[in-house]
Amino acid sequence: DIKFTSRLDMNYLIQYDLNPGGGAKVQKYAGTLGPYELSSGAGTPRVRGNWQNTLEIGRLALTATTYYVSRIKEVAADEGDDLSCAGGNLYGTGQNFCYVRRFIYADLGAQLQVNPNFSFNMFVGNFTNEKAPIAPASYSGTNYLPTWHIAGVVGRTFRAGATFKF
């Protein structure tokens, strides 16, 4: 038997606003590093998602999963009213380093079912060895956003194992 399964999960953040009340200006966070204090500078990407494809051939299953995080503007409404690159860039460099670039990477996995109670598995994380984009205004990680880009900091990883059921 041969079976192919494909699954796409995407999130598009339409709005993420905070109204602090008392006549204060509404803070808009979608697509920025805000809320800067609450998220430890990790921010709120506007688009995130993954696409997983699995091919099953008899007892062998091969899976590839691609992950996507959209670019993030290095401004934050909880750090000031100016959300322009010129005046609100948290790194203080204007147009330079105003955006953390988008991040795309992929994982590969394989599983061989020997019998109903025993299987082997292998996994290659970030098999393309994509590097995390530079995020100089981040304080949750030095020059990167660990919440969204940790696979690009760690790099390619390998795992192998076996599963026993009894």
Side-chain angles (χ1 to χ4, degrees), residues 62-116:
L62 304 170
T63 300
T65 306
T66 302
Y67 301 89
Y68 174 83
V69 178
S70 64
R71 76 180 189 165
I72 301 172
K73 191 173 185 181
E74 290 203 273
V75 300
D78 56 335
E79 295 296 305
D81 290 338
D82 189 349
L83 297 183
S84 72
C85 291
N89 184 335
L90 294 173
Y91 193 55
T93 56
Q95 294 295 334
N96 295 325
F97 299 108
C98 188
Y99 289 92
V100 178
R101 73 170 169 80
R102 58 105 179 107
F103 183 54
I104 301 171
Y105 72 98
D107 297 337
L108 296 175
Q111 181 181 42
L112 178 62
Q113 187 78 38
V114 177
N115 63 47

Side-chain angles (χ1 to χ4, degrees), residues 21-77:
K25 186 175 180 180
V26 172
Q27 299 174 357
K28 298 184 177 298
Y29 297 137
T32 73
L33 281 183
Y36 197 66
E37 302 302 328
L38 182 63
S39 72
S40 298
T44 310
R46 189 170 291 277
V47 182
R48 294 183 298 134
N50 67 72
W51 182 26
Q52 183 177 69
N53 294 286
T54 301
L55 179 63
E56 295 176 67
I57 305 168
R59 297 178 295 157
L60 176 67
L62 304 170
T63 300
T65 306
T66 302
Y67 301 89
Y68 174 83
V69 178
S70 64
R71 76 180 189 165
I72 301 172
K73 191 173 185 181
E74 290 203 273
V75 300

